[in-house]
Coordinates of all heavy atoms in Angstrom, one line a residue:
M1254 N 15.1 0.0 3.0 CA 13.8 -0.6 3.5 C 13.7 -0.3 4.9 O 14.7 -0.4 5.7 CB 13.9 -2.2 3.2 CG 12.6 -2.8 3.3 SD 12.8 -4.6 2.9 CE 13.3 -4.5 1.1
L1255 N 12.6 0.0 5.3 CA 12.2 0.4 6.7 C 12.0 -0.8 7.6 O 11.3 -1.8 7.1 CB 11.1 1.4 6.9 CG 11.3 2.6 6.0 CD1 10.2 3.4 5.8 CD2 12.4 3.5 6.8
S1256 N 12.3 -0.8 8.8 CA 12.3 -2.1 9.6 C 11.1 -2.2 10.4 O 10.7 -3.2 11.0 CB 13.5 -2.3 10.5 OG 13.6 -1.1 11.3
K1257 N 10.4 -1.1 10.7 CA 9.2 -1.2 11.6 C 8.1 -0.2 11.0 O 8.3 0.4 10.0 CB 9.6 -0.9 12.9 CG 10.2 0.6 13.1 CD 10.4 0.9 14.5 CE 11.0 2.4 14.6 NZ 11.4 2.8 15.9
G1258 N 7.1 -0.1 11.7 CA 5.9 0.6 11.2 C 5.0 -0.1 10.3 O 5.3 -1.3 10.0
Y1259 N 4.1 0.6 9.7 CA 3.2 -0.1 8.8 C 2.6 1.1 7.9 O 2.7 2.2 8.1 CB 2.1 -0.8 9.4 CG 1.3 0.0 10.4 CD1 0.1 0.5 10.1 CD2 1.8 0.1 11.7 CE1 -0.6 1.3 11.0 CE2 1.2 0.8 12.7 CZ -0.1 1.5 12.3 OH -0.9 2.3 13.1
I1260 N 1.9 0.6 6.7 CA 1.3 1.7 5.8 C -0.1 1.5 6.0 O -0.8 0.5 6.1 CB 1.8 1.1 4.5 CG1 3.3 1.4 4.3 CG2 1.1 2.0 3.3 CD1 4.0 0.8 3.1
V1261 N -0.7 2.8 5.9 CA -2.2 3.0 6.0 C -2.6 3.5 4.6 O -1.9 4.1 3.9 CB -2.5 3.8 7.2 CG1 -2.2 3.1 8.4 CG2 -2.0 5.2 7.1
V1262 N -4.0 3.3 4.4 CA -4.6 3.8 3.1 C -5.5 4.9 3.6 O -6.4 4.7 4.4 CB -5.3 2.6 2.5 CG1 -5.8 3.1 1.0 CG2 -4.5 1.5 2.2
C1263 N -5.4 6.1 2.9 CA -6.3 7.3 3.2 C -6.4 8.0 2.0 O -5.4 8.7 1.6 CB -5.7 8.0 4.5 SG -6.9 9.3 4.9
G1264 N -7.6 8.2 1.5 CA -7.9 9.0 0.3 C -7.6 8.3 -1.0 O -7.3 8.9 -2.1
C1265 N -7.8 7.0 -1.1 CA -7.6 6.1 -2.3 C -8.5 6.5 -3.3 O -9.8 6.7 -3.1 CB -7.6 4.7 -1.9 SG -7.6 3.7 -3.4
K1266 N -8.1 6.6 -4.6 CA -8.9 6.9 -5.7 C -9.1 5.7 -6.6 O -9.6 5.8 -7.8 CB -8.4 8.0 -6.7 CG -8.1 9.4 -5.8 CD -9.5 10.0 -5.6 CE -9.1 11.5 -5.0 NZ -9.9 11.9 -4.0
K1267 N -8.7 4.6 -6.1 CA -9.0 3.3 -6.8 C -8.4 3.1 -8.1 O -9.0 2.4 -9.0 CB -10.5 3.0 -6.8 CG -11.2 3.2 -5.5 CD -12.8 3.1 -5.8 CE -13.6 3.4 -4.6 NZ -15.0 3.3 -4.8
C1268 N -7.3 3.6 -8.4 CA -6.5 3.4 -9.7 C -5.9 2.1 -9.8 O -5.8 1.7 -11.0 CB -5.5 4.6 -9.9 SG -4.1 4.4 -8.9
G1269 N -5.6 1.5 -8.8 CA -5.0 0.1 -8.9 C -3.4 0.1 -9.1 O -2.9 -1.0 -9.2
R1270 N -2.8 1.2 -9.3 CA -1.4 1.2 -9.6 C -0.5 0.6 -8.5 O 0.5 -0.1 -8.8 CB -0.9 2.7 -9.8 CG 0.5 2.8 -10.4 CD 0.9 4.3 -10.5 NE 0.1 5.1 -11.5 CZ 0.3 6.3 -11.9 NH1 1.2 7.0 -11.3 NH2 -0.6 6.9 -12.6
C1271 N -0.9 0.8 -7.3 CA 0.0 0.3 -6.2 C 0.1 -1.2 -6.2 O 1.1 -1.8 -6.0 CB -0.6 0.8 -4.8 SG -2.3 0.3 -4.4
R1272 N -1.1 -1.8 -6.6 CA -1.0 -3.4 -6.6 C -0.1 -3.9 -7.7 O 0.4 -4.9 -7.5 CB -2.4 -3.9 -6.8 CG -3.2 -3.9 -5.5 CD -4.7 -4.5 -5.7 NE -5.5 -3.6 -6.3 CZ -5.9 -3.9 -7.7 NH1 -5.6 -4.9 -8.3 NH2 -6.7 -2.9 -8.1
T1273 N 0.1 -3.1 -8.7 CA 1.0 -3.6 -9.8 C 2.5 -3.4 -9.4 O 3.3 -4.1 -10.0 CB 0.8 -2.8 -11.2 OG1 1.3 -1.5 -11.0 CG2 -0.7 -2.8 -11.5
V1274 N 2.9 -2.7 -8.5 CA 4.3 -2.4 -8.2 C 4.7 -3.3 -6.9 O 5.9 -3.4 -6.6 CB 4.6 -0.9 -7.9 CG1 4.3 -0.1 -9.2 CG2 4.0 -0.3 -6.7
C1275 N 3.8 -3.8 -6.2 CA 4.1 -4.4 -4.9 C 4.9 -5.8 -5.2 O 4.3 -6.6 -5.8 CB 2.9 -4.8 -4.1 SG 3.3 -5.5 -2.5
P1276 N 6.1 -5.9 -4.8 CA 6.9 -7.1 -5.0 C 6.5 -8.4 -4.2 O 6.9 -9.5 -4.5 CB 8.3 -6.7 -4.6 CG 8.2 -5.6 -3.6 CD 6.8 -4.9 -4.0
T1277 N 5.8 -8.1 -3.2 CA 5.4 -9.3 -2.3 C 3.8 -9.6 -2.3 O 3.4 -10.4 -1.5 CB 5.7 -9.0 -0.8 OG1 4.9 -7.9 -0.3 CG2 7.2 -8.7 -0.7
S1278 N 3.1 -9.0 -3.2 CA 1.6 -9.3 -3.3 C 1.0 -8.9 -2.0 O -0.1 -9.5 -1.6 CB 1.3 -10.6 -3.8 OG 2.0 -10.9 -5.0
A1279 N 1.5 -7.9 -1.3 CA 0.9 -7.5 0.0 C -0.3 -6.7 -0.1 O -1.0 -6.5 0.8 CB 2.0 -6.9 0.9
L1280 N -0.6 -6.1 -1.3 CA -1.7 -5.3 -1.5 C -2.8 -6.1 -2.1 O -2.7 -6.5 -3.3 CB -1.3 -4.1 -2.4 CG -0.4 -3.0 -1.8 CD1 0.2 -2.2 -2.8 CD2 -1.2 -2.3 -0.6
K1281 N -3.8 -6.3 -1.4 CA -5.0 -7.0 -1.9 C -6.2 -6.1 -2.4 O -6.3 -5.1 -1.7 CB -5.6 -7.9 -0.8 CG -4.5 -8.7 -0.2 CD -3.8 -9.8 -1.0 CE -2.8 -10.6 -0.3 NZ -2.0 -11.4 -1.2
R1282 N -6.8 -6.4 -3.4 CA -7.9 -5.6 -3.8 C -9.2 -6.0 -3.0 O -9.6 -7.1 -2.9 CB -8.2 -5.9 -5.3 CG -9.2 -4.9 -5.9 CD -9.6 -5.1 -7.3 NE -10.6 -6.2 -7.3 CZ -11.0 -6.7 -8.5 NH1 -10.6 -6.3 -9.7 NH2 -12.0 -7.7 -8.4
T1283 N -9.8 -4.9 -2.5 CA -11.1 -5.1 -1.7 C -12.3 -5.1 -2.7 O -12.1 -4.8 -3.9 CB -11.2 -4.2 -0.7 OG1 -11.3 -2.9 -1.2 CG2 -10.1 -4.1 0.4
T1284 N -13.5 -5.4 -2.3 CA -14.6 -5.4 -3.2 C -14.9 -4.0 -3.7 O -15.6 -3.9 -4.7 CB -15.9 -6.0 -2.4 OG1 -16.0 -5.3 -1.2 CG2 -15.7 -7.4 -2.2
D1285 N -14.4 -3.0 -2.9 CA -14.7 -1.6 -3.5 C -13.4 -1.0 -4.2 O -13.3 0.1 -4.6 CB -15.1 -0.7 -2.4 CG -14.0 -0.3 -1.5 OD1 -12.9 -0.9 -1.5 OD2 -14.1 0.6 -0.5
Y1286 N -12.5 -2.0 -4.5 CA -11.3 -1.7 -5.4 C -10.2 -0.9 -4.6 O -9.2 -0.4 -5.2 CB -11.6 -1.0 -6.7 CG -12.5 -1.9 -7.7 CD1 -13.7 -2.0 -7.6 CD2 -11.7 -2.7 -8.5 CE1 -14.5 -2.8 -8.4 CE2 -12.4 -3.6 -9.3 CZ -13.8 -3.6 -9.3 OH -14.5 -4.5 -10.1
R1287 N -10.4 -0.6 -3.4 CA -9.3 0.1 -2.6 C -8.3 -1.1 -2.2 O -8.8 -2.1 -1.9 CB -9.9 0.8 -1.4 CG -10.6 2.1 -1.7 CD -11.0 2.9 -0.6 NE -11.6 4.0 -0.9 CZ -13.0 4.2 -1.1 NH1 -13.7 3.2 -1.0 NH2 -13.5 5.4 -1.4
P1288 N -7.1 -0.8 -2.0 CA -6.2 -1.7 -1.6 C -6.3 -2.0 -0.1 O -6.5 -1.1 0.7 CB -4.8 -1.2 -1.9 CG -4.9 0.3 -1.8 CD -6.4 0.5 -2.3
K1289 N -6.0 -3.3 0.2 CA -6.0 -3.7 1.7 C -4.6 -4.3 1.9 O -4.1 -5.2 1.2 CB -7.1 -4.7 2.0 CG -7.1 -5.1 3.4 CD -8.3 -6.1 3.6 CE -8.6 -6.5 5.1 NZ -7.4 -6.7 6.0
I1290 N -3.8 -3.8 2.8 CA -2.4 -4.3 3.0 C -2.4 -5.5 4.0 O -2.9 -5.4 5.1 CB -1.6 -3.2 3.5 CG1 -1.6 -2.0 2.6 CG2 -0.1 -3.6 3.8 CD1 -1.0 -0.7 3.0
D1291 N -1.7 -6.5 3.4 CA -1.4 -7.7 4.3 C -0.1 -7.4 5.0 O 0.9 -7.4 4.4 CB -1.3 -8.9 3.5 CG -1.1 -10.2 4.4 OD1 -0.5 -10.0 5.5 OD2 -1.5 -11.3 3.9
H1292 N -0.1 -7.0 6.3 CA 1.0 -6.6 7.0 C 2.0 -7.7 7.3 O 3.1 -7.4 7.5 CB 0.7 -5.9 8.3 CG -0.2 -4.6 8.1 ND1 0.3 -3.4 7.6 CD2 -1.5 -4.3 8.2 CE1 -0.6 -2.6 7.5 NE2 -1.7 -3.1 7.9
E1293 N 1.6 -8.9 7.1 CA 2.5 -10.0 7.2 C 3.4 -10.1 6.0 O 4.5 -10.5 6.0 CB 1.7 -11.4 7.5 CG 0.9 -11.4 8.7 CD 1.8 -11.5 9.9 OE1 2.8 -12.3 9.8 OE2 1.5 -10.9 10.9
L1294 N 2.8 -9.7 4.8 CA 3.6 -9.9 3.7 C 4.3 -8.6 3.2 O 5.4 -8.6 2.6 CB 2.7 -10.2 2.4 CG 2.0 -11.6 2.4 CD1 0.9 -11.6 1.2 CD2 2.9 -12.7 2.3
C1295 N 4.0 -7.5 3.8 CA 4.5 -6.3 3.4 C 6.0 -6.2 4.1 O 6.1 -6.4 5.2 CB 3.7 -5.1 4.0 SG 4.5 -3.4 3.7
N1296 N 6.9 -5.8 3.2 CA 8.3 -5.6 3.6 C 8.7 -4.2 3.9 O 10.0 -3.9 4.0 CB 9.3 -6.4 2.8 CG 9.3 -5.9 1.4 OD1 8.8 -4.7 1.1 ND2 9.9 -6.6 0.4
R1297 N 7.8 -3.2 3.7 CA 8.0 -1.8 3.9 C 9.0 -1.3 2.9 O 9.8 -0.4 3.2 CB 8.4 -1.5 5.3 CG 7.2 -1.8 6.3 CD 7.7 -1.8 7.7 NE 8.6 -2.9 8.0 CZ 8.3 -4.2 8.3 NH1 7.1 -4.5 8.2 NH2 9.2 -5.0 8.6
C1298 N 9.0 -1.7 1.7 CA 9.9 -1.3 0.6 C 9.6 0.1 0.2 O 10.4 0.7 -0.5 CB 9.9 -2.3 -0.7 SG 8.4 -2.2 -1.6
M1299 N 8.4 0.6 0.3 CA 7.9 1.9 0.1 C 7.6 2.1 -1.4 O 7.3 3.3 -1.8 CB 8.9 2.9 0.7 CG 9.2 2.8 2.0 SD 7.7 3.1 3.1 CE 7.6 4.9 3.0
L1300 N 7.7 1.1 -2.3 CA 7.4 1.3 -3.7 C 5.9 1.9 -3.9 O 5.7 2.6 -4.7 CB 7.6 0.0 -4.4 CG 9.1 -0.4 -4.7 CD1 9.1 -1.7 -5.3 CD2 9.8 0.6 -5.5
C1301 N 5.0 1.3 -3.1 CA 3.6 1.6 -3.3 C 3.4 3.1 -2.9 O 2.7 3.8 -3.5 CB 2.7 0.7 -2.6 SG 2.9 0.6 -0.7
V1302 N 4.0 3.5 -1.8 CA 3.9 4.9 -1.2 C 4.4 5.8 -2.3 O 3.8 6.9 -2.6 CB 4.7 4.9 0.1 CG1 4.8 6.4 0.5 CG2 4.1 4.1 1.2
R1303 N 5.6 5.5 -3.0 CA 6.1 6.4 -4.0 C 5.3 6.5 -5.2 O 5.2 7.5 -5.9 CB 7.5 5.9 -4.3 CG 8.5 6.1 -3.1 CD 9.9 6.1 -3.7 NE 10.8 5.7 -2.6 CZ 11.4 4.5 -2.4 NH1 11.2 3.7 -3.3 NH2 12.2 4.4 -1.3
C1304 N 4.5 5.4 -5.6 CA 3.9 5.3 -6.9 C 2.5 5.9 -6.9 O 2.0 6.3 -7.8 CB 3.9 3.9 -7.5 SG 2.4 3.0 -6.9
C1305 N 1.9 6.0 -5.7 CA 0.5 6.4 -5.6 C 0.4 7.9 -6.1 O 1.0 8.7 -5.5 CB 0.0 6.3 -4.1 SG -1.8 7.0 -4.0
P1306 N -0.4 8.2 -7.0 CA -0.6 9.5 -7.6 C -1.4 10.4 -6.7 O -1.4 11.6 -6.8 CB -1.4 9.3 -8.9 CG -2.1 8.0 -8.7 CD -1.3 7.1 -7.8
N1307 N -2.1 9.8 -5.7 CA -2.9 10.7 -4.7 C -2.3 10.7 -3.3 O -3.0 11.2 -2.4 CB -4.2 10.0 -4.8 CG -4.9 10.1 -6.0 OD1 -5.1 11.1 -6.6 ND2 -5.2 8.9 -6.5
K1308 N -1.1 10.2 -3.1 CA -0.5 10.2 -1.8 C -1.4 9.5 -0.8 O -1.5 10.0 0.3 CB 0.0 11.5 -1.4 CG 0.9 12.2 -2.4 CD 1.6 13.3 -1.8 CE 2.5 14.1 -2.6 NZ 3.3 13.4 -3.7
A1309 N -2.1 8.5 -1.2 CA -3.0 7.9 -0.3 C -2.5 6.8 0.5 O -3.2 6.2 1.4 CB -4.2 7.2 -1.2
L1310 N -1.2 6.3 0.3 CA -0.5 5.4 1.1 C 0.5 6.2 1.9 O 1.3 6.9 1.4 CB 0.1 4.3 0.2 CG -0.8 3.5 -0.7 CD1 -0.1 2.8 -1.7 CD2 -1.6 2.5 0.2
V1311 N 0.3 5.9 3.2 CA 1.2 6.8 4.1 C 1.9 5.8 5.1 O 1.3 4.8 5.7 CB 0.3 7.7 5.0 CG1 1.1 8.5 5.9 CG2 -0.4 8.7 4.0
Y1312 N 3.2 5.9 5.3 CA 3.9 5.1 6.2 C 3.8 5.7 7.6 O 4.1 6.9 7.9 CB 5.5 5.0 5.8 CG 6.3 4.3 6.8 CD1 6.3 2.9 6.8 CD2 7.2 4.9 7.7 CE1 7.0 2.2 7.7 CE2 7.9 4.2 8.5 CZ 7.8 2.9 8.7 OH 8.6 2.1 9.6
M1313 N 3.5 4.9 8.5 CA 3.2 5.3 9.9 C 4.2 4.5 10.9 O 4.4 3.3 10.7 CB 1.9 4.9 10.5 CG 0.7 5.4 9.7 SD 0.5 7.1 9.7 CE -0.3 7.2 11.5
E1314 N 5.0 5.3 11.6 CA 6.0 4.6 12.5 C 5.3 4.1 13.7 O 4.3 4.6 14.2 CB 7.1 5.5 12.8 CG 8.0 5.8 11.7 CD 9.3 6.5 12.1 OE1 9.2 7.4 13.1 OE2 10.4 6.3 11.5
Ligands
SF4_2733 S1 -2.1 3.9 -6.2 FE1 -3.1 5.1 -4.6 S2 -5.0 5.8 -5.4 FE2 -4.3 4.0 -6.7 S3 -5.3 2.2 -5.8 FE3 -3.4 2.5 -4.8 S4 -3.8 3.6 -2.9 FE4 -5.5 3.9 -4.3
SF4_2734 S1 5.7 -1.2 1.1 FE1 6.4 -2.5 -0.5 S2 5.8 -4.6 0.1 FE2 4.6 -3.2 1.4 S3 2.6 -3.0 0.4 FE3 4.0 -1.4 -0.4 S4 5.0 -2.1 -2.3 FE4 4.1 -4.0 -1.1

């Protein structure tokens, strides 16, 4: 698990897969079905980054 940085969303295709794997419910669905990350809840486990079929979730240091 990474201790700093945060995850950004870029190029999302709205499949919803990332929200199903997040262990802390940090990924919220927006009205257009793209995920919005609650950075207070995110523990940077990287599960969503690994599962996204479009590489739309990117870890930024
Ligand atoms: S898994 Fe990727 S493409 Fe699917 S909703 Fe999440 S960010 Fe978007
Ligand atoms: S890095 Fe982990 S805790 Fe953070 S949004 Fe992705 S799956 Fe959830």
Side-chain angles (χ1 to χ4, degrees):
M1254 197 176 295
L1255 301 163
S1256 60
K1257 59 180 183 177
Y1259 56 94
I1260 293 172
V1261 297
V1262 185
C1263 182
C1265 173
K1266 303 287 194 222
K1267 311 178 185 180
C1268 72
R1270 191 181 297 182
C1271 55
R1272 280 184 285 109
T1273 69
V1274 302
C1275 180
T1277 65
S1278 300
L1280 291 164
K1281 311 297 185 190
R1282 193 185 78 180
T1283 60
T1284 52
D1285 71 355
Y1286 292 91
R1287 289 186 177 87
K1289 183 178 188 322
I1290 299 173
D1291 184 331
H1292 295 289
E1293 295 291 318
L1294 292 176
C1295 176
N1296 65 11
R1297 296 167 293 278
C1298 70
M1299 305 298 280
L1300 287 176
C1301 61
V1302 173
R1303 291 197 205 104
C1304 90
C1305 177
N1307 300 299
K1308 300 192 186 327
L1310 296 164
V1311 180
Y1312 178 73
M1313 306 285 288
E1314 286 193 330

